[in-house]
Amino acid sequence: MELKYSKKYIALVIGLGLSAGLVACSDSNEANVAPVDNAPASEVVEVEVASVEEVVGSEAEGSELVASESVGALSEEDCSAELSSDDSMQFSTKQIIVPAGCQQFTINFAHLGSKPKDSMGHNVVVAKTSDLNNVINDGVGAGAANDYVKPNDERVVAHTKLLGGGEKDSIVLDVATLKDDRYSYVCTYPGHGGVMRGKFKVE
Ligand code: CO
């Protein structure tokens, strides 16, 4: 039997399961479980606590659900890239390959240097290559208070915070957006955008 529960719900079920033996399992479990089948996760949260006691059939069932979620987390690792910079004015790569099979792609960005962000700040700002220069100019104009990104700039697909040495931040991109290979990433810290930039390639 496959049940779709929200994480919150699973935690509740496991919690109850671990309370060992406090719950007497009735023979009518199946009947009580049935309405939950195929229910959207958002609705499952609303299941009354009274019926949760009856749904707790075994700890094993709860463990299975958690295990299948872990498998999902593993496959996501293929849809990410590590990007870094340091106290020199450059990214670790000028091209990021995005697997076409990914729906979303995560960039984990790290500033591996030691200088503070007000003298050697770095961010990762994603926009169409054709918009890059304007995004940089407006970003510089927006100032440090805005991490050198113009607030609500519709040309910016995603951006990290402005980082100083030792800091890291991540962004998640929809791969469908990147598919025409017209997108780039750039650091908009003043003076960095000319050299700190690279392109996405989906393949
Ligand atoms: Co920079």
Coordinates of all heavy atoms in Angstrom, one line a residue, residues 121-123 187 189 192 196, ligand 1:
G121 N 33.9 41.5 -2.1 CA 32.6 40.8 -2.1 C 32.4 40.1 -3.4 O 32.8 40.5 -4.5
H122 N 31.7 39.0 -3.3 CA 31.3 38.2 -4.5 C 29.8 37.8 -4.3 O 29.4 37.4 -3.2 CB 32.1 37.0 -4.7 CG 33.6 37.2 -4.8 ND1 34.1 38.1 -5.8 CD2 34.7 36.7 -4.1 CE1 35.5 38.1 -5.7 NE2 35.8 37.3 -4.7
N123 N 29.1 37.8 -5.5 CA 27.8 37.2 -5.5 C 27.7 36.5 -6.8 O 28.6 36.6 -7.7 CB 26.7 38.3 -5.3 CG 26.7 39.4 -6.4 OD1 27.4 39.2 -7.4 ND2 26.0 40.4 -6.2
C187 N 29.3 38.3 -11.2 CA 29.5 38.9 -9.9 C 29.3 40.4 -10.1 O 30.0 41.0 -10.9 CB 30.8 38.7 -9.2 SG 31.1 39.7 -7.7
Y189 N 29.6 42.9 -7.9 CA 30.4 43.8 -7.0 C 31.1 44.7 -7.9 O 31.6 44.3 -9.0 CB 31.4 42.9 -6.2 CG 32.1 43.7 -5.2 CD1 31.7 43.9 -3.9 CD2 33.4 44.3 -5.5 CE1 32.4 44.7 -3.0 CE2 34.1 45.1 -4.6 CZ 33.6 45.2 -3.3 OH 34.4 46.0 -2.4
H192 N 33.9 44.0 -10.7 CA 34.1 42.6 -10.9 C 33.4 42.0 -12.1 O 33.8 40.9 -12.6 CB 33.6 41.8 -9.7 CG 34.5 42.0 -8.5 ND1 34.5 41.1 -7.4 CD2 35.4 42.9 -8.2 CE1 35.3 41.6 -6.4 NE2 35.9 42.7 -6.9
M196 N 34.5 38.5 -13.8 CA 33.8 37.5 -13.0 C 32.5 37.2 -13.7 O 31.4 37.6 -13.2 CB 33.6 37.9 -11.5 CG 34.9 37.9 -10.7 SD 34.5 38.1 -8.9 CE 33.8 36.5 -8.5
Ligands
CO1 CO 33.2 39.5 -7.0

